[in-house]
Amino acid sequence: MPILSHHLDQSRVMEIQSSSSSRASSKRKSAIPCPSTKLIICIFLVLTVLILLHMQPSSFFPSTKSNFMSKLRDSVTFLPLKDLRFTNTAMEGNTWFMSSLNDTREENEAEYLYFPSESSKGRLLCIKGNDTEDGTKNSYALAWPECLPDSATLLSGLTFVSDTYYDYENLWHGVSAIAPFVGWSLKNGCSKPTRWVLFHWGELRDRMGTWIHNITQANFGEVFIERFSGEGGDGPYCFEEAVVMRHNVGKMGKERKLHVFDMLRCKARLFCGLSPGGRGKEVNRRGQPVIRLTLLMRRGSRSFKDPAAVITVFARECAMVEGCIMEVSQSEDLSFCDQVKVMTNTDIVVSPHGAQLTNMLFMDRNSRIMEFFPKGWLELAGVGQYAHHWMAEMSGMDHTGSWWETLGEKECPNPQNDLECFNFYKDGQVGHNETYFAEWARTVLNQVRTSKLEKKTKRSQAKSNVCKC
């Protein structure tokens, strides 16, 4: 019996241990939640945090954002507008104006810079300084709209920024600087600038010559030239939108130039109350085409020594051609619109070399140019003497040639120095050769008459819809 009792006691102990183990195991299982519930809670928490971060990022990382913006603002670096490293190649490549920036190049268009753009990575153009004598004291930089330099003034609207190696007073140089903006505007929905910023060698300019101002106004409306003299002092000033031209007409294609100068002509005529298409077909009482010959004279340098003799030669030749009407105009006495009217009513212009010949652009296409030079120009002036040949090509005119007075033996103080010698002759007066002038006038008058007879029912003038802007 003792043995049986011992076995019963052992069995009882094992039963108790088994029961305790079962209860402990049950408790451990009930303490572990369902895995799917835990996953759902985690996902919910992550999504909540992400939504809050998206809605209010600055409330979570205020100092980080502020520091980042401050660093971007501090990273804006101003460079000299005029880069003296390129003094010897000032008009080549990127030029010495904003030399670190590459132009946008499009087929047949003048090279340009545009801000903000993909190439500027969305950054705006900023300019600091208003020095009129040293372009290295004026500077430029690019900045993101959200991180403009400290104390910067943001100028709204479209700004046209021009830098020319020459000036905005001379008719030829000025119109060469304005023309590429006309081309850009034509291609971009006839956009008009809010303001102009003018530079010469990086030096700020605050005006255009009267003639240039008028032709600019005719094409773009009121002309406001920024002087950087307001409350912002010398800047920096940043532009909401800016177009920069620094090559004048640059690589603009021939057809594009013709289109641009058609626009300049058309707008100037409208501005002066004339028909944009010109005077059209014009005949006399006998039904013969009218040929209008204009002697566009000038005083002082490069004027004719004996204007009366020159007038007599051309008047005589004109009288010999039926339908020819001659007019003599003194360029200095004409207002802008007077010049537009005179040249609109001209088929052949006779004039000494000079800025007044830029007015040829107001004539109908295919009109004739006869140009005259003082002695010394042919031998010493270089390629600059062909400026009005280029002007004729750009505006669709026929430059019939030039007459140069014979130099003979050099009379300049230092004949071996061509530059000094040219300056000696540069502003001389123009002589005349009666025989040559008469024959040349006769030839050109007959060419124009023949052309008009052949085109009685066909007009060569560009379509009037060129004034679409």
Side-chain angles (χ1 to χ4, degrees):
M1 291 303 291
I3 295 175
L4 179 61
S5 175
H6 175 72
H7 282 294
L8 288 172
D9 290 342
Q10 284 185 330
S11 179
R12 180 66 178 167
V13 169
M14 289 178 65
E15 243 179 57
I16 293 170
Q17 289 176 341
S18 176
S19 176
S20 298
S21 175
S22 177
R23 284 195 298 271
S25 175
S26 177
K27 286 180 181 179
R28 284 196 300 270
K29 287 182 182 179
S30 64
I32 300 174
C34 176
S36 59
T37 303
K38 181 178 181 181
L39 180 62
I40 291 172
I41 292 172
C42 290
I43 291 174
F44 175 77
L45 290 174
V46 170
L47 288 175
T48 301
V49 170
L50 289 175
I51 291 171
L52 290 173
L53 283 172
H54 179 71
M55 292 177 64
Q56 296 290 339
S58 60
S59 62
F60 287 89
F61 308 108
S63 59
T64 302
K65 180 180 179 182
S66 176
N67 290 338
F68 179 69
M69 300 294 277
S70 179
K71 287 179 180 180
L72 283 180
R73 185 175 291 108
D74 293 341
S75 70
V76 175
T77 303
F78 281 87
L79 302 173
L81 276 177
K82 178 182 177 180
D83 190 340
L84 294 178
R85 294 176 301 169
F86 301 100
T87 299
N88 295 328
T89 55
M91 295 188 290
E92 299 176 13
N94 287 356
T95 80
W96 61 358
F97 183 81
M98 298 187 184
S99 63
S100 69
L101 303 177
N102 295 319
D103 291 297
T104 296
R105 301 175 187 273
E106 298 173 349
E107 188 175 2
N108 294 319
E109 301 291 340
E111 310 96 304
Y112 68 94
L113 299 166
Y114 177 77
F115 307 95
S117 63
E118 184 177 343
S119 60
S120 75
K121 299 179 180 179
R123 292 174 292 177
L124 307 184
L125 174 66
C126 301
I127 291 178
K128 184 177 181 179
N130 54 13
D131 199 284
T132 60
E133 297 180 353
D134 186 351
T136 64
K137 293 181 179 179
N138 299 323
S139 56
Y140 71 100
L142 301 183
W144 278 279
E146 303 86 355
C147 308
L148 298 181
D150 290 330
S151 72
T153 300
L154 179 63
L155 299 179
S156 61
L158 173 63
T159 301
F160 281 172
V161 181
S162 171
D163 182 75
T164 179
Y165 192 80
Y166 301 102
D167 60 56
Y168 303 97
E169 299 284 341
N170 178 276
L171 277 59
W172 157 249
H173 295 311
V175 78
S176 297
I178 298 304
F181 290 101
V182 176
W184 186 89
S185 174
L186 282 169
K187 190 173 181 180
N188 290 274
C190 300
S191 300
K192 299 182 186 301
T194 303
R195 69 189 60 78
W196 292 77
V197 181
L198 306 178
F199 290 101
H200 160 68
W201 296 5
E203 303 161 6
L204 189 66
R205 293 292 178 263
D206 63 2
R207 69 181 303 276
M208 299 174 174
T210 302
W211 190 96
I212 299 300
H213 189 281
N214 281 320
I215 200 167
T216 304
Q217 183 176 352
N219 279 267
F220 294 110
E222 183 179 358
V223 178
F224 173 74
I225 300 175
E226 182 61 61
R227 294 171 172 81
F228 298 139
S229 58
E231 294 181 1
D234 64 354
Y237 293 87
C238 301
F239 308 103
E240 181 183 25
E241 183 183 11
V243 176
V244 179
M245 299 286 182
R246 52 185 178 173
H247 301 277
N248 289 349
V249 292
K251 296 186 181 299
M252 189 183 292
K254 182 178 179 179
E255 287 302 316
R256 188 58 170 168
K257 289 175 184 174
L258 290 172
H259 191 190
V260 166
F261 277 83
D262 283 344
M263 183 70 171
L264 288 168
R265 176 186 306 116
C266 182
K267 285 293 189 178
R269 287 173 173 175
L270 283 175
F271 181 73
C272 296
L274 303 174
S275 168
R279 67 182 188 278
K281 186 173 69 173
E282 191 176 21
V283 296
N284 62 13
R285 293 179 180 178
R286 290 167 48 82
Q288 295 299 306
V290 171
I291 302 170
R292 295 190 177 272
L293 170 67
T294 298
L295 272 65
L296 189 61
M297 312 297 270
R298 58 183 284 151
R299 298 187 183 97
S301 64
R302 296 190 301 281
S303 60
F304 286 114
K305 294 176 185 175
D306 190 349
V310 175
I311 291 170
T312 298
V313 172
F314 282 93
R316 184 174 64 240
E317 295 303 321
C318 181
M320 296 171 64
V321 177
E322 184 174 7
C324 181
I325 300 172
M326 192 180 90
E327 179 178 347
V328 180
S329 294
Q330 197 69 43
S331 60
E332 298 91 343
D333 298 338
L334 302 176
S335 68
F336 174 77
C337 282
D338 288 337
Q339 293 173 73
V340 175
K341 291 172 185 175
V342 166
M343 300 307 280
T344 295
N345 292 311
T346 296
D347 296 303
I348 305 168
V349 62
V350 174
S351 187
H353 177 78
Q356 78 286 344
L357 263 175
T358 308
N359 286 292
M360 72 172 76
L361 75 89
F362 302 130
M363 299 194 295
D364 287 352
R365 276 206 200 181
N366 301 313
S367 296
R368 268 53 170 195
I369 317 298
M370 301 174 72
E371 188 175 8
F372 302 80
F373 289 87
K375 63 182 178 181
W377 274 74
L378 178 60
E379 297 82 1
L380 303 168
V383 297
Q385 64 189 296
Y386 300 106
H388 294 301
H389 286 254
W390 307 330
M391 183 71 185
E393 182 179 7
M394 289 191 291
S395 56
M397 306 303 158
D398 182 354
H399 196 294
T400 64
S402 300
W403 180 83
W404 290 270
E405 187 173 352
T406 304
L407 175 59
E409 186 177 349
K410 289 183 180 179
E411 301 168 352
C412 47
N414 187 3
Q416 304 306 316
N417 188 315
D418 283 351
L419 179 58
E420 286 185 16
C421 207
F422 172 64
N423 288 332
F424 177 81
Y425 289 110
K426 179 181 178 181
D427 294 327
Q429 290 185 298
V430 183
H432 77 283
N433 181 320
E434 184 174 343
T435 302
Y436 186 91
F437 285 14
E439 291 178 356
W440 190 14
R442 196 176 305 131
T443 298
V444 176
L445 283 165
N446 286 330
Q447 288 174 347
V448 173
R449 175 174 168 77
T450 300
S451 176
K452 284 180 174 277
L453 287 171
E454 290 175 350
K455 299 178 180 179
K456 271 189 174 181
T457 59
K458 182 180 179 181
R459 294 178 60 192
S460 61
Q461 173 65 14
K463 296 180 180 179
S464 60
N465 66 0
V466 71
C467 261
K468 64 179 182 179
C469 288

